[in-house]
Amino acid sequence: MFGSLDSSFQHAWQAEILTARPLILPARQFVYPTQVEEVERGALEVLVRPQAVETAPFLATCALGFADPLALTGLWACPDPRWMCAVAGGYAYLIDTVTPQQWEQLEYRPVTEIRALPQHGLLIFSGFHGLLSWGPAGRKWKTKRLSWDGIRITEIVGNRLTGFGWDLTSDQETEFEVDLMTGESRGGGYSPVTSG
């Protein structure tokens, strides 16, 4: 499994995605999530070297979400330079590289797209139904449901993000708009189906 590194944000760590588990393991090893069976099968193995003084390197083993080669995989720098986002087959793990016991797995499973917006201090995560943002202090906002199945971001201008979500009731894409500062949205392709 291969992935890329998006270093749009300044970061206080170096990381390498390994093609195989190292024969000699570092003294510090962390598995994400901690309660998972057979995590090594297809897991994303990342050797992380924090730049903090007296902080030893560690191996981060991130459980694979989906084995589909089109599923998002890679590393992203976060708005907080200590934090790293590792994505393994659409499952996103945000990890404090100085204190790797502090981490969070995003609720979107899978994450379908990540946009780094340094000018806003945000990472934007797309799922099938909505958007979620992560700022320097952690999670900042989550939109209401914008789509029945699939989000397509088309433009980011100023503090406004626009895109399309699919509406089951009309069987077409509908435009939405999100305020990047608050997560407030209007439009979108989600209208509840009512019987009657």
Side-chain angles (χ1 to χ4, degrees):
M1 175 186 306
F2 297 95
S4 60
L5 168 64
D6 183 306
S7 56
S8 297
F9 290 99
Q10 294 289 328
H11 51 286
W13 47 267
Q14 295 178 343
E16 175 187 0
I17 295 176
L18 305 176
T19 56
R21 196 168 180 82
L23 296 175
I24 300 173
L25 296 171
R28 299 190 323 144
Q29 303 167 46
F30 299 90
V31 175
Y32 307 101
T34 52
Q35 304 296 321
V36 69
E37 294 179 20
E38 298 183 22
V39 71
E40 285 86 9
R41 183 179 298 171
L44 180 70
E45 302 277 7
V46 183
L47 184 59
V48 183
R49 295 179 184 87
Q51 292 175 354
V53 177
E54 297 182 17
T55 303
F58 65 91
L59 180 67
T61 302
C62 302
L64 178 68
F66 297 91
D68 185 332
L70 297 177
L72 194 61
T73 297
L75 303 174
W76 280 259
C78 292
D80 181 333
R82 286 176 39 153
W83 285 71
M84 172 183 78
C85 176
V87 181
Y91 280 25
Y93 306 92
L94 292 127
I95 303 164
D96 182 339
T97 61
V98 175
T99 313
Q101 300 89 337
Q102 293 184 12
W103 65 280
E104 183 174 333
Q105 183 176 4
L106 288 190
E107 61 196 75
Y108 291 163
R109 297 181 189 151
V111 167
T112 56
E113 181 182 2
I114 300 175
R115 296 274 183 114
L117 305 178
Q119 67 276 25
H120 296 92
L122 295 174
L123 273 181
I124 304 293
F125 297 91
S126 296
F128 285 130
H129 306 123
L131 301 171
L132 185 147
S133 77
W134 187 274
R139 180 174 155 162
K140 187 166 181 181
W141 50 255
K142 178 183 171 186
T143 64
K144 66 179 185 181
R145 189 167 179 162
L146 300 170
S147 176
W148 277 92
D149 187 19
I151 298 283
R152 185 167 58 91
I153 297 171
T154 55
E155 186 176 52
I156 298 170
V157 176
N159 291 334
R160 184 177 57 91
L161 177 150
T162 56
F164 288 88
W166 184 68
D167 185 359
L168 175 71
T169 58
S170 65
D171 193 24
Q172 65 183 5
E173 284 189 317
T174 305
E175 190 172 25
F176 64 79
E177 182 178 298
V178 177
D179 183 320
L180 289 169
M181 296 297 97
T182 65
E184 291 294 318
S185 62
R186 58 189 174 120
Y190 179 74
S191 48
V193 175
T194 56
S195 58

